[in-house]
Amino acid sequence: MESPLHRLAYMVPILLAVWFFDAWITDDGRAGWERNTVRNSVARFENDTRGRVAIMGSSTSKDWLSERTLEGLLGRKRGEVIDAHINGCHQGCTWAEVQKIRQLHHQKRCRPSGKDRCSPPTEKRFDAVFFGTNLFQLCEFAHSKRVLQHAMLTPVADVPALFGRYLHADQPLQWIGRYAGIRLSDAYGDTQALRDYWGRRFLGSPRAGKAHAWYRADAPPGDAAPLSCAYDADAVALKRAFTEGLLDDLGELADHVYLMLLPDRSRALDDPEHRRRWAAHLALHQAIADARPWVTVVDLVTDGAARPEHFRDGFHLNEAGMTIQRTLFAARLKALGVAKP
């Protein structure tokens, strides 16, 4: 009869082979642009000591709002507004990003020795943070990159809090299990990006509007219905939990948070159901802000871009839409007394 040590001896080379294969197939954890997007985004802000105002969220928060535009509106010096957005970064990703910033802020306030050498900092990292979200982002819309972003950004000490947020999901164990899988395997971290990475290497770049048929169906046509969100309590429970945690934690980092409500192409769907959804979207975020004195809602939906020709896809604005949003944003900040006269 074999001893446990003999069995372990058989397992070790198998585990090593799996580990080497995982490293090879993921190019040492760098295959796929999602991972590198997170790394590059963190590098933008982690060592920036000049920034006193931050723009957070996904590309829908940042594409139309440049640092120079916000500096001009707020009367800030060059470099005082920093770009802290991450492409594809929904509420959970931004929550994880804020945990990362809190950790960095705390570490920079530590002293090498002495009593209470790592006491919490008394000075806040930012004077203001601008975070944007649209309607479709409030539903879960599971994607292989979502938990990858959480795993890359969340400090180990905050993982229990992350799992606590996952309990609000439609299938909590699926989210927790994916996180555990990512910790064991880089290949499991973003399977969609990995398939695309190897598809391009072996088959070349797909034709415009198409994807490699060996792993993904053809891309939907351009006139497909825009993404939306049913906006019932269960559908938005996870993202609501992340939003509330995000705003609470930003209260420790910033003097004030401006919660920007952004349009997406479903605004053009002028039917009773979508009117109800958008009304619920505005009401939910206003209620969240009302419970937090450091949060102000900036409504960029009402009177904002609302026609299909204002968007280049389901949620990104084109130049015409960006012009509308910048003009409305300036008017909203002036009404709040935030923009310089």
Side-chain angles (χ1 to χ4, degrees), residues 50-69:
R50 296 179 303 163
R52 297 298 303 168
V53 177
I55 303 171
M56 291 185 177
S58 66
S59 54
T60 55
S61 295
K62 180 62 178 58
D63 282 357
W64 60 276
L65 181 59
S66 70
E67 298 95 296
R68 295 294 297 276
T69 296

Side-chain angles (χ1 to χ4, degrees), residues 166-246:
Y166 286 164
L167 294 180
H168 296 272
D170 181 51
Q171 298 184 52
L173 292 180
Q174 187 176 72
W175 289 78
I176 294 171
R178 179 171 285 278
Y179 181 95
I182 289 170
R183 287 303 184 190
L184 294 173
S185 167
D186 281 332
Y188 187 69
D190 189 357
T191 53
Q192 185 169 312
L194 193 63
R195 293 194 301 266
D196 187 58
Y197 175 78
W198 284 103
R200 289 175 184 274
R201 292 193 66 172
F202 284 113
L203 303 176
S205 297
R207 290 175 296 167
K210 297 284 185 178
H212 291 304
W214 67 277
Y215 74 86
R216 192 188 303 165
D218 287 349
D223 60 354
L227 290 171
S228 185
C229 178
Y231 235 92
D232 55 63
D234 290 338
V236 303
L238 175 64
K239 296 292 186 66
R240 176 173 184 163
F242 272 126
T243 298
E244 292 175 335
L246 165 65

